[in-house]
Coordinates of all heavy atoms in Angstrom, one line a residue:
M1 N 35.0 74.8 54.8 CA 36.4 75.1 54.7 C 36.9 74.5 53.4 O 37.7 75.1 52.7 CB 37.1 74.5 55.9 CG 38.6 74.8 55.9 SD 39.1 76.5 56.0 CE 38.7 76.8 57.7
I2 N 36.4 73.3 53.1 CA 36.9 72.6 51.8 C 36.5 73.4 50.6 O 37.4 73.6 49.7 CB 36.4 71.2 51.8 CG1 36.9 70.4 52.9 CG2 36.8 70.5 50.4 CD1 36.3 69.0 53.1
H3 N 35.3 73.9 50.6 CA 34.9 74.7 49.4 C 35.6 76.0 49.4 O 35.8 76.5 48.3 CB 33.3 74.9 49.5 CG 32.6 73.6 49.4 ND1 32.6 72.8 48.2 CD2 31.8 72.9 50.3 CE1 31.8 71.8 48.4 NE2 31.4 71.8 49.6
K4 N 35.9 76.6 50.5 CA 36.6 77.9 50.5 C 38.0 77.6 49.9 O 38.5 78.5 49.1 CB 36.7 78.4 51.9 CG 37.4 79.8 52.0 CD 37.5 80.2 53.4 CE 36.2 80.7 53.9 NZ 36.3 81.4 55.2
I5 N 38.7 76.5 50.3 CA 40.0 76.2 49.7 C 39.9 76.1 48.2 O 40.7 76.6 47.5 CB 40.6 75.0 50.4 CG1 40.9 75.2 51.8 CG2 41.8 74.5 49.6 CD1 41.3 74.0 52.6
K6 N 38.9 75.3 47.7 CA 38.8 75.1 46.3 C 38.5 76.4 45.6 O 39.0 76.6 44.5 CB 37.7 74.0 46.0 CG 38.2 72.6 46.4 CD 37.3 71.6 45.9 CE 37.8 70.2 46.2 NZ 38.5 69.6 45.1
A7 N 37.7 77.3 46.2 CA 37.4 78.6 45.6 C 38.6 79.4 45.5 O 38.8 80.1 44.5 CB 36.3 79.3 46.3
L8 N 39.5 79.4 46.5 CA 40.7 80.3 46.5 C 41.7 79.7 45.5 O 42.4 80.5 44.8 CB 41.3 80.3 47.9 CG 40.6 81.1 48.9 CD1 41.2 80.9 50.3 CD2 40.6 82.6 48.5
Y9 N 41.7 78.4 45.3 CA 42.7 77.8 44.4 C 42.2 78.0 42.9 O 43.0 78.3 42.0 CB 42.9 76.3 44.7 CG 44.0 75.7 43.9 CD1 45.3 76.0 44.1 CD2 43.7 74.7 42.9 CE1 46.3 75.5 43.4 CE2 44.7 74.1 42.3 CZ 46.0 74.5 42.5 OH 47.1 73.9 41.8
D10 N 40.9 77.8 42.7 CA 40.3 78.1 41.4 C 41.0 77.4 40.2 O 41.4 78.0 39.2 CB 40.2 79.6 41.1 CG 39.4 79.9 39.9 OD1 38.4 79.2 39.6 OD2 39.7 80.9 39.2
E11 N 41.2 76.0 40.4 CA 41.8 75.2 39.3 C 43.1 75.7 38.9 O 43.5 75.6 37.7 CB 40.8 75.1 38.1 CG 39.5 74.5 38.4 CD 39.5 73.1 38.9 OE1 40.4 72.3 38.4 OE2 38.7 72.7 39.7
G12 N 43.9 76.2 39.8 CA 45.3 76.7 39.5 C 45.4 78.1 39.1 O 46.5 78.6 38.9
N13 N 44.2 78.8 38.9 CA 44.2 80.2 38.4 C 44.2 81.2 39.6 O 44.4 82.4 39.4 CB 43.1 80.5 37.5 CG 43.1 79.6 36.2 OD1 44.2 79.4 35.7 ND2 42.0 79.2 35.7
G14 N 44.0 80.7 40.8 CA 43.9 81.5 41.9 C 45.2 81.6 42.7 O 46.3 81.6 42.1
L15 N 45.0 81.5 44.1 CA 46.2 81.6 44.9 C 47.0 80.3 44.9 O 46.4 79.2 44.6 CB 45.7 81.9 46.4 CG 45.1 83.2 46.6 CD1 44.6 83.2 48.1 CD2 46.0 84.3 46.4
K16 N 48.2 80.4 45.2 CA 49.1 79.2 45.4 C 48.7 78.5 46.7 O 48.1 79.1 47.6 CB 50.5 79.6 45.4 CG 51.0 80.4 44.2 CD 51.3 79.5 43.1 CE 51.9 80.3 42.0 NZ 51.7 79.7 40.7
I17 N 49.1 77.2 46.8 CA 48.8 76.4 48.0 C 49.4 77.1 49.2 O 48.7 77.1 50.3 CB 49.3 75.0 47.8 CG1 48.5 74.3 46.7 CG2 49.2 74.2 49.1 CD1 49.0 72.9 46.3
R18 N 50.6 77.6 49.2 CA 51.2 78.2 50.3 C 50.4 79.4 50.8 O 50.3 79.7 52.0 CB 52.6 78.6 50.0 CG 53.4 79.1 51.1 CD 54.8 79.3 50.7 NE 55.4 78.0 50.4 CZ 56.7 77.7 50.7 NH1 57.5 78.6 51.2 NH2 57.2 76.5 50.4
A19 N 50.0 80.2 49.8 CA 49.2 81.4 50.2 C 47.9 81.1 50.8 O 47.4 81.8 51.7 CB 49.0 82.3 48.9
I20 N 47.2 80.1 50.3 CA 45.9 79.6 50.8 C 46.1 79.1 52.3 O 45.4 79.5 53.2 CB 45.3 78.5 50.0 CG1 44.9 79.0 48.6 CG2 44.1 77.9 50.7 CD1 44.5 78.0 47.6
A21 N 47.2 78.4 52.5 CA 47.5 77.9 53.8 C 47.8 79.0 54.8 O 47.2 79.0 55.9 CB 48.7 76.9 53.8
R22 N 48.5 80.0 54.4 CA 48.8 81.1 55.2 C 47.6 81.9 55.5 O 47.3 82.3 56.7 CB 49.8 82.0 54.5 CG 50.4 83.0 55.4 CD 51.5 83.8 54.7 NE 52.5 83.0 54.0 CZ 52.7 83.2 52.7 NH1 52.1 84.1 52.0 NH2 53.6 82.4 52.1
Q23 N 46.7 82.1 54.6 CA 45.5 82.9 54.7 C 44.5 82.3 55.7 O 43.9 82.9 56.5 CB 44.9 83.2 53.4 CG 43.7 84.1 53.4 CD 43.1 84.5 52.1 OE1 43.8 84.2 51.1 NE2 42.0 85.0 52.0
L24 N 44.4 81.0 55.5 CA 43.4 80.2 56.3 C 43.9 79.7 57.6 O 43.2 79.1 58.4 CB 42.7 79.1 55.5 CG 42.0 79.6 54.3 CD1 41.5 78.4 53.5 CD2 40.9 80.5 54.6
G25 N 45.2 79.8 57.8 CA 45.8 79.2 59.0 C 45.9 77.7 59.1 O 45.8 77.1 60.1
L26 N 46.1 77.1 57.9 CA 46.2 75.6 57.8 C 47.6 75.3 57.3 O 48.3 76.1 56.9 CB 45.1 75.1 56.8 CG 43.7 75.4 57.1 CD1 42.8 75.0 55.9 CD2 43.2 74.6 58.3
S27 N 47.9 74.0 57.4 CA 49.2 73.5 56.9 C 49.0 73.3 55.4 O 47.9 73.1 54.9 CB 49.6 72.3 57.6 OG 48.9 71.1 57.1
R28 N 50.1 73.4 54.7 CA 50.1 73.2 53.2 C 49.6 71.8 52.9 O 49.0 71.6 51.9 CB 51.5 73.4 52.6 CG 51.9 74.8 52.6 CD 53.3 75.0 52.1 NE 54.1 73.9 52.7 CZ 55.4 73.9 52.7 NH1 56.1 74.9 52.1 NH2 56.1 72.9 53.3
N29 N 50.0 70.8 53.7 CA 49.6 69.4 53.5 C 48.1 69.3 53.6 O 47.5 68.6 52.8 CB 50.3 68.5 54.4 CG 51.7 68.4 54.2 OD1 52.2 68.6 53.1 ND2 52.5 68.0 55.2
T30 N 47.5 70.0 54.5 CA 46.0 69.9 54.6 C 45.3 70.6 53.4 O 44.4 70.0 52.8 CB 45.6 70.7 55.9 OG1 46.2 70.1 57.0 CG2 44.0 70.6 56.0
V31 N 45.9 71.7 53.0 CA 45.3 72.3 51.7 C 45.5 71.4 50.5 O 44.5 71.2 49.8 CB 46.0 73.7 51.5 CG1 45.6 74.3 50.2 CG2 45.7 74.7 52.6
R32 N 46.6 70.8 50.4 CA 46.9 69.9 49.3 C 45.9 68.7 49.3 O 45.4 68.3 48.3 CB 48.3 69.5 49.3 CG 48.8 68.8 48.1 CD 50.3 68.5 48.1 NE 51.0 69.7 48.0 CZ 51.8 70.2 48.9 NH1 52.0 69.5 50.1 NH2 52.5 71.3 48.8
K33 N 45.7 68.2 50.5 CA 44.8 67.0 50.7 C 43.4 67.4 50.2 O 42.8 66.6 49.5 CB 44.8 66.6 52.1 CG 43.8 65.4 52.4 CD 43.9 65.0 53.9 CE 43.2 66.0 54.7 NZ 43.1 65.6 56.1
Y34 N 42.9 68.5 50.7 CA 41.6 68.9 50.3 C 41.4 69.3 48.8 O 40.4 69.0 48.3 CB 41.1 70.1 51.2 CG 40.8 69.8 52.6 CD1 41.0 70.7 53.6 CD2 40.4 68.5 52.9 CE1 40.7 70.4 54.9 CE2 40.1 68.2 54.3 CZ 40.2 69.1 55.2 OH 39.9 68.8 56.5
L35 N 42.5 69.8 48.2 CA 42.4 70.0 46.8 C 42.4 68.7 46.0 O 41.8 68.7 44.9 CB 43.6 70.9 46.4 CG 43.5 72.3 46.8 CD1 44.8 73.0 46.4 CD2 42.4 73.1 46.1
R36 N 42.9 67.7 46.5 CA 42.9 66.4 45.7 C 41.6 65.7 45.9 O 41.4 64.7 45.1 CB 44.1 65.5 46.3 CG 45.4 66.0 45.9 CD 46.5 65.1 46.4 NE 47.8 65.6 46.0 CZ 48.9 65.3 46.6 NH1 48.9 64.5 47.7 NH2 50.1 65.8 46.2
M37 N 40.8 66.0 46.9 CA 39.5 65.3 47.1 C 38.5 65.7 46.0 O 38.4 66.8 45.6 CB 39.0 65.7 48.5 CG 39.8 65.2 49.6 SD 39.1 65.8 51.2 CE 37.8 64.8 51.4
D38 N 37.7 64.6 45.6 CA 36.7 64.9 44.7 C 35.4 65.2 45.5 O 35.4 65.1 46.7 CB 36.4 63.7 43.8 CG 36.1 62.4 44.5 OD1 36.3 62.4 45.8 OD2 35.6 61.5 43.9
E39 N 34.3 65.6 44.8 CA 33.1 66.0 45.4 C 32.5 64.9 46.3 O 31.9 65.2 47.3 CB 32.1 66.5 44.4 CG 32.5 67.8 43.7 CD 32.6 69.0 44.7 OE1 31.8 69.1 45.6 OE2 33.6 69.8 44.6
A40 N 32.5 63.7 45.8 CA 31.9 62.6 46.6 C 32.6 62.4 47.9 O 32.0 62.2 49.0 CB 32.0 61.3 45.8
A41 N 33.9 62.5 48.0 CA 34.7 62.4 49.2 C 34.4 63.5 50.1 O 34.4 63.4 51.4 CB 36.2 62.3 48.9
I42 N 34.2 64.7 49.6 CA 33.9 65.9 50.4 C 32.6 65.7 51.1 O 32.4 66.0 52.3 CB 33.9 67.2 49.5 CG1 35.3 67.5 49.1 CG2 33.3 68.3 50.3 CD1 35.4 68.6 48.0
E43 N 31.6 65.2 50.4 CA 30.3 65.0 51.0 C 30.3 63.9 52.1 O 29.7 64.1 53.1 CB 29.3 64.5 49.9 CG 28.9 65.5 48.8 CD 28.3 66.7 49.4 OE1 27.5 66.6 50.4 OE2 28.5 67.8 48.9
V44 N 31.1 62.9 51.9 CA 31.2 61.9 52.9 C 31.9 62.5 54.2 O 31.5 62.2 55.3 CB 32.0 60.6 52.4 CG1 32.4 59.7 53.5 CG2 31.2 59.9 51.4
K45 N 33.0 63.2 54.0 CA 33.7 63.8 55.1 C 32.8 64.8 55.8 O 32.9 64.8 57.1 CB 34.9 64.5 54.6 CG 35.8 65.0 55.7 CD 37.2 65.2 55.1 CE 38.2 65.6 56.2 NZ 38.6 64.5 57.0
Q46 N 32.0 65.6 55.2 CA 31.2 66.6 55.9 C 29.9 65.9 56.5 O 29.4 66.5 57.5 CB 30.7 67.6 54.9 CG 31.9 68.6 54.5 CD 31.4 69.7 53.6 OE1 30.4 69.6 52.9 NE2 32.2 70.7 53.5
S47 N 29.5 64.8 56.0 CA 28.3 64.1 56.6 C 28.7 63.4 57.9 O 27.8 63.2 58.7 CB 27.7 63.2 55.6 OG 28.6 62.1 55.4
H48 N 29.9 63.1 58.2 CA 30.3 62.4 59.4 C 31.0 63.3 60.3 O 32.1 63.0 60.9 CB 31.3 61.2 59.0 CG 30.7 60.2 58.2 ND1 29.3 59.9 58.2 CD2 31.2 59.2 57.4 CE1 29.1 58.9 57.4 NE2 30.2 58.5 56.9
R49 N 30.5 64.5 60.6 CA 31.1 65.5 61.4 C 31.0 65.2 62.9 O 31.8 65.6 63.7 CB 30.5 66.8 61.1 CG 30.8 67.3 59.7 CD 30.4 68.7 59.5 NE 31.6 69.4 59.7 CZ 31.7 70.7 59.6 NH1 30.6 71.4 59.2 NH2 32.8 71.4 59.8
E50 N 29.9 64.5 63.3 CA 29.7 64.3 64.7 C 30.6 63.1 65.2 O 30.5 62.0 64.7 CB 28.2 63.9 65.0 CG 27.9 63.7 66.4 CD 28.1 65.0 67.2 OE1 27.9 66.1 66.7 OE2 28.5 64.8 68.4
R51 N 31.4 63.4 66.1 CA 32.3 62.4 66.6 C 32.1 62.2 68.1 O 31.6 63.1 68.8 CB 33.8 62.8 66.4 CG 34.2 63.0 65.0 CD 35.6 63.2 64.9 NE 36.1 64.3 65.8 CZ 37.2 64.9 65.6 NH1 38.0 64.6 64.7 NH2 37.6 65.8 66.5
R52 N 32.4 61.1 68.6 CA 32.3 60.8 70.0 C 33.5 61.3 70.7 O 34.6 61.1 70.3 CB 32.1 59.3 70.2 CG 31.2 58.9 71.2 CD 31.2 57.4 71.3 NE 31.6 57.1 72.6 CZ 31.0 56.3 73.5 NH1 29.9 55.8 73.1 NH2 31.4 56.1 74.7
K53 N 33.3 61.9 71.8 CA 34.4 62.5 72.6 C 34.5 61.7 73.9 O 33.6 61.2 74.4 CB 34.1 64.0 72.8 CG 34.1 64.7 71.5 CD 33.5 66.1 71.7 CE 33.3 66.8 70.4 NZ 32.3 66.2 69.5
Q54 N 35.7 61.7 74.5 CA 36.0 60.9 75.7 C 35.2 61.5 76.9 O 34.9 60.8 77.8 CB 37.5 60.9 76.0 CG 38.2 60.0 75.0 CD 39.7 59.9 75.3 OE1 40.2 60.8 76.1 NE2 40.4 58.9 74.9
L55 N 35.0 62.8 76.9 CA 34.3 63.4 78.0 C 32.8 63.4 77.9 O 32.1 63.9 78.8 CB 34.8 64.8 78.2 CG 36.3 65.0 78.6 CD1 36.6 66.5 78.7 CD2 36.5 64.3 79.9
D56 N 32.2 62.8 76.8 CA 30.8 62.8 76.7 C 30.1 62.0 77.9 O 29.0 62.4 78.3 CB 30.4 62.1 75.4 CG 30.5 63.0 74.2 OD1 30.6 64.2 74.4 OD2 30.5 62.5 73.1
A57 N 30.7 61.0 78.4 CA 30.2 60.3 79.5 C 30.0 61.2 80.8 O 29.2 60.9 81.7 CB 31.0 59.1 79.9
Y58 N 30.8 62.2 80.9 CA 30.8 63.1 82.1 C 30.2 64.5 81.8 O 30.3 65.4 82.6 CB 32.3 63.3 82.6 CG 33.0 62.0 82.8 CD1 33.9 61.5 81.8 CD2 32.7 61.2 83.9 CE1 34.6 60.3 82.1 CE2 33.3 60.0 84.1 CZ 34.2 59.5 83.2 OH 34.9 58.3 83.3
R59 N 29.6 64.6 80.7 CA 29.0 65.9 80.2 C 28.1 66.5 81.3 O 28.2 67.7 81.6 CB 28.3 65.7 78.9 CG 27.7 67.1 78.4 CD 27.0 66.9 77.1 NE 27.9 66.5 76.0 CZ 28.7 67.3 75.3 NH1 28.8 68.5 75.6 NH2 29.5 66.8 74.4
D60 N 27.2 65.7 81.8 CA 26.2 66.3 82.8 C 27.0 66.8 84.0 O 26.6 67.8 84.6 CB 25.2 65.2 83.2 CG 24.3 64.8 82.1 OD1 24.1 65.7 81.2 OD2 23.8 63.7 82.1
Y61 N 28.0 66.1 84.5 CA 28.7 66.5 85.7 C 29.5 67.8 85.4 O 29.6 68.7 86.2 CB 29.7 65.4 86.1 CG 30.5 65.8 87.3 CD1 30.0 65.8 88.6 CD2 31.8 66.1 87.2 CE1 30.7 66.2 89.7 CE2 32.6 66.4 88.2 CZ 32.0 66.5 89.5 OH 32.8 66.8 90.6
I62 N 30.1 67.9 84.2 CA 30.9 69.0 83.9 C 30.0 70.3 83.7 O 30.4 71.4 84.2 CB 31.7 68.8 82.6 CG1 32.7 67.7 82.9 CG2 32.4 70.0 82.1 CD1 33.4 67.1 81.6
V63 N 28.9 70.2 83.0 CA 28.1 71.3 82.7 C 27.4 71.9 84.0 O 27.3 73.1 84.1 CB 27.0 70.9 81.7 CG1 26.0 72.0 81.5 CG2 27.6 70.5 80.4
T64 N 27.1 71.1 84.9 CA 26.4 71.6 86.1 C 27.4 72.1 87.2 O 28.5 72.1 87.2 CB 25.5 70.5 86.8 OG1 26.3 69.4 87.1 CG2 24.4 70.2 85.9

């Protein structure tokens, strides 16, 4: 998603922030936040995608 936002923005030559937010269904603040991120921060954010959920302890019970 982050790379798609950056591609649509294209260093200011592409779509405006509002148009990107509307097209992708995100808030303008989220689009702005992702545009301000550098490549190192993007890699860190994408590498920590697995989060612990509150219902993980009950997964076996729920699934069966």
Side-chain angles (χ1 to χ4, degrees):
M1 181 65 72
I2 296 170
H3 295 294
K4 185 182 283 189
I5 291 170
K6 288 190 177 265
L8 288 172
Y9 190 67
D10 190 32
E11 299 299 325
N13 297 325
L15 295 175
K16 304 277 187 206
I17 291 173
R18 185 175 295 214
I20 295 170
R22 191 176 315 123
Q23 183 174 348
L24 298 177
L26 301 170
S27 74
R28 289 179 313 199
N29 291 336
T30 303
V31 172
R32 192 174 292 117
K33 175 180 74 172
Y34 287 151
L35 287 174
R36 289 179 181 158
M37 292 175 78
D38 60 343
E39 291 297 321
I42 292 171
E43 293 297 325
V44 169
K45 187 158 186 77
Q46 288 182 341
S47 67
H48 296 338
R49 296 188 96 175
E50 184 62 33
R51 297 186 312 197
R52 217 180 119 124
K53 296 161 185 75
Q54 290 183 339
L55 293 177
D56 280 346
Y58 308 103
R59 180 178 298 279
D60 293 334
Y61 179 75
I62 294 170
V63 173
T64 59

